[in-house]
Amino acid sequence: HHILCIVGARPNFMKIAPIMAAFAARGDQVKATLLHTGQHYDVAMNHQYFEALGIPSPDINLEIGSGSHAVQTAAVMQHFEPALDAAQASAVLVVGDVNSTLACALVATKKGIPVIHVEAGLRSYDRAMPEEINRILTDQISDILFTTEASALGNLTREGIDASRVRFVGNVMIDTLRLNLPRAIALPQILADQGRSDFRHDAGYAVLTLHRPSNVDDPAVLRSLLETVRQISERLPVVFPLHPRTRGMIEKFGLSELIDLPQILLLPPMGYLEMLGLMKNARLVLTDSGGIQEETTALGVPCVTLRNNTERPITVEQGTNTIAGQDPATILRLFDEVMNSGGKAGRVPEFWDGHAADRIAEQLCEWLDQRNAASGD
Ligand code: UD1
C-alpha cells in the first residue's frame, strides 16, 4: 500500500510524526510519502517541528503560503492535483482541520482515491470558525474516520455518516507528547537561549497562546483580552509566544504598550519541545488553541480556554480544561480559582496512551488489504 500523508500547518506536524513512524515500523507492508502544502512556511512554524520530532523531510512541498481562505484552499487544490496524479497512491491521509486538510481531501475523493481522516468527528457547533467548516466537509468525504474521543461518533452519525466508517483509536498528538516529554525544554533554558535570563518567575508562571481570528482580528476583543492578561500578570508572570497573525494584529492595532511589561515575556513561536517544557511546568495555561486543550489535559495542567466553545469536550468532562470565553470577569475568576486551589483536577482520557498511531497503521493496512481482496487485486 502507498499512503500519501498530508501536512500544511503547524498543528499538523505533531500529529503526522507518530503516524509516519508507525507506517515505517510496518516495513514493506506500507510505503508512506509525505506532502507539505506549505500553508505554514516560516522557519519558526516549520523546521523546528520537523527537526525536533524527527519527521522525515517532505517528499513534496507545494509552497502555497498565505492567502484568504478561498485563495489558499484553491491554491492547494490546484497544486495538489498533479502531485496526486504523479504519486499513484492507494489512499490519502489527512489530519486535523486546517485549510490544507479539506483542500487535499476534496481533490482526492473526486479522483476516487480513498480519504483517511485522522482526528475526525470533533465539533464546536460554531460555524463562524473556519476549522468547523473544514471538519464537517472533510468528514463527509472521508472513507475511514479515525477519532480521538467518544463524542465524535455521535457527531458523525448525526450527520449521516455510517458508523462502520468510524474507528475510535485515540489521540496521535498525545503519542507525540508522551514520546517527547523526557526531552522537553524548560523555561530556564528558553530564557538563556533568548538572552532573557532577567525574566523573574520564582513563584511560577502562566503560559498564554492566542491566534484564533475571533480573538485577534477584532481590535476591541484583542484589547480586552490583553488588558485581562495584563491584570493577570500583576499576580503571576505570563509567558506569551506570539503567533505571526497575533503579532501582526497587535502591531496593527497599536496594542503593544498593554503587554510591553517586565512580567510578560513575549517570545517568537516556540518549537515543540519548548512548548512542551513551558506547558508542563506552568501553573496554568490560557489558550484559544484546540491542541493545547488536549495537551494540558494529558499533562494534568489547568487550562483556561479563551473561547466560547470547544470541539474537544472530553477535555472539559474528564480533563483539566475550563471554557472561559472572552469575558474578563470570568477569565479572572477562573484564574483566581487556579491560584487559590490549584485549579481543576482531571484524568487522562481513554486511548490517549501513546499508541494511537499504531492502531491507525494496523487498522488501515487491514482495511486496504480487504479492499484489494474485494477488487481482486
Ligand atoms: C492556521 C489554521 C488554524 C491553526 C493555525 C495554527 C486554517 C483555516 N487555520 O491558522 O486552524 O490553528 O494554523 O497556527 O487552516 N503567517 C506567517 N508565517 C507562516 C504562516 C502564517 O507569517 O508560516 C501569517 C500570515 O500573515 C498569514 C497568517 O499568519 O496570513 C495566517 O496564516 P494561515 O495559515 O492563513 O492561518 P493561521 O492563522 O496560521
Side-chain angles (χ1 to χ4, degrees):
H1 310 303
H2 175 203
I3 319 256
L4 183 56
C5 298
I6 312 295
V7 291
R10 186 172 62 180
N12 296 156
F13 305 145
M14 54 287 235
K15 295 170 193 166
I16 215 69
I19 297 174
M20 295 297 289
F23 285 149
R26 298 186 84 83
D28 291 343
Q29 200 184 3
V30 47
K31 171 187 165 200
T33 301
L34 185 61
L35 182 145
H36 191 339
T37 65
Q39 176 174 342
H40 282 172
Y41 43 88
D42 282 1
V43 173
M45 304 289 281
N46 265 289
H47 300 296
Q48 2 193 50
Y49 279 73
F50 277 79
E51 267 170 37
L53 299 178
I55 306 170
S57 294
D59 301 284
I60 309 162
N61 192 326
L62 303 180
E63 297 182 1
I64 294 306
S66 302
S68 69
H69 286 273
V71 165
Q72 190 171 61
T73 308
V76 174
M77 289 182 69
Q78 215 169 358
H79 289 81
F80 180 55
E81 179 169 47
L84 180 58
D85 287 340
Q88 306 243 329
S90 26
V92 167
L93 183 146
V94 296
V95 299
D97 55 14
V98 302
N99 286 342
S100 302
T101 307
L102 171 62
C104 293
L106 190 48
V107 172
T109 193
K110 288 208 177 175
K111 289 184 171 286
I113 297 174
V115 175
I116 317 302
H117 187 202
V118 174
E119 199 187 89
L122 297 178
R123 294 293 180 270
S124 63
Y125 292 95
D126 173 6
R127 290 202 181 192
M129 209 180 160
E131 293 79 6
E132 182 77 352
I133 308 295
N134 294 342
R135 290 189 282 259
I136 294 169
L137 297 180
T138 302
D139 286 340
Q140 278 296 328
I141 55 178
S142 292
D143 295 82
I144 296 288
L145 299 96
F146 289 114
T147 64
T148 54
E149 61 170 278
S151 71
L153 178 60
N155 295 334
L156 292 168
T157 52
R158 270 193 295 280
E159 290 170 13
I161 291 167
D162 199 276
S164 65
R165 282 157 60 196
V166 182
R167 315 282 177 93
F168 176 33
V169 289
N171 197 326
V172 287
M173 209 178 56
I174 307 306
D175 292 6
T176 299
L177 181 141
R178 293 172 70 116
L179 183 69
N180 289 289
L181 209 45
R183 299 164 60 220
I185 298 173
L187 181 56
Q189 180 65 50
I190 296 170
L191 292 176
D193 293 344
Q194 299 283 332
R196 286 299 310 271
S197 298
D198 56 303
F199 181 72
R200 300 263 54 92
H201 55 97
D202 314 298
Y205 61 89
V207 173
L208 168 70
T209 84
L210 278 179
H211 76 287
R212 291 249 106 75
S214 54
N215 279 337
V216 306
D217 287 7
D218 178 322
V221 172
L222 185 56
R223 170 181 288 277
S224 160
L225 284 171
L226 295 180
E227 172 57 31
T228 308
V229 167
R230 191 192 58 74
Q231 289 180 44
I232 286 174
S233 76
E234 281 167 3
R235 294 176 52 205
L236 187 66
V238 175
V239 178
F240 186 11
L242 282 165
H243 185 283
R245 173 193 282 275
T246 310
R247 180 177 287 278
M249 292 300 174
I250 290 173
E251 279 164 21
K252 180 174 163 195
F253 303 144
L255 299 173
S256 302
E257 83 273 13
L258 277 178
I259 49 170
D260 249 335
L261 297 166
Q263 71 275 20
I264 300 182
L265 177 68
L266 300 175
L267 291 173
M270 290 284 100
Y272 182 79
L273 298 174
E274 287 83 359
M275 264 323 279
L276 201 52
L278 284 176
M279 291 192 284
K280 179 181 153 200
N281 299 325
R283 284 182 70 177
L284 89 154
V285 175
L286 300 137
T287 191
D288 61 8
S289 151
I292 289 178
Q293 295 172 49
E294 298 185 333
E295 289 166 336
T296 45
T297 276
L299 292 168
V301 172
C303 180
V304 171
T305 293
L306 306 174
R307 287 173 44 190
N308 295 318
N309 49 53
T310 180
E311 61 286 335
R312 294 161 159 91
I314 203 158
T315 61
V316 176
E317 286 152 19
Q318 296 186 12
T320 54
N321 189 20
T322 310
I323 302 300
Q326 298 167 327
D327 171 46
T330 309
I331 299 167
L332 291 170
R333 178 176 56 74
L334 290 167
F335 171 69
D336 275 340
E337 274 173 34
V338 175
M339 294 302 278
N340 297 336
S341 70
K344 199 175 156 191
R347 63 190 152 98
V348 178
E350 186 184 5
F351 283 164
W352 292 22
D353 59 356
H355 301 292
D358 296 336
R359 288 189 278 269
I360 287 173
E362 187 184 340
Q363 295 188 28
L364 196 51
C365 287
E366 250 172 52
W367 183 77
L368 288 166
D369 284 344
Q370 284 166 7
R371 211 168 170 270
N372 283 353
S375 70
D377 275 7

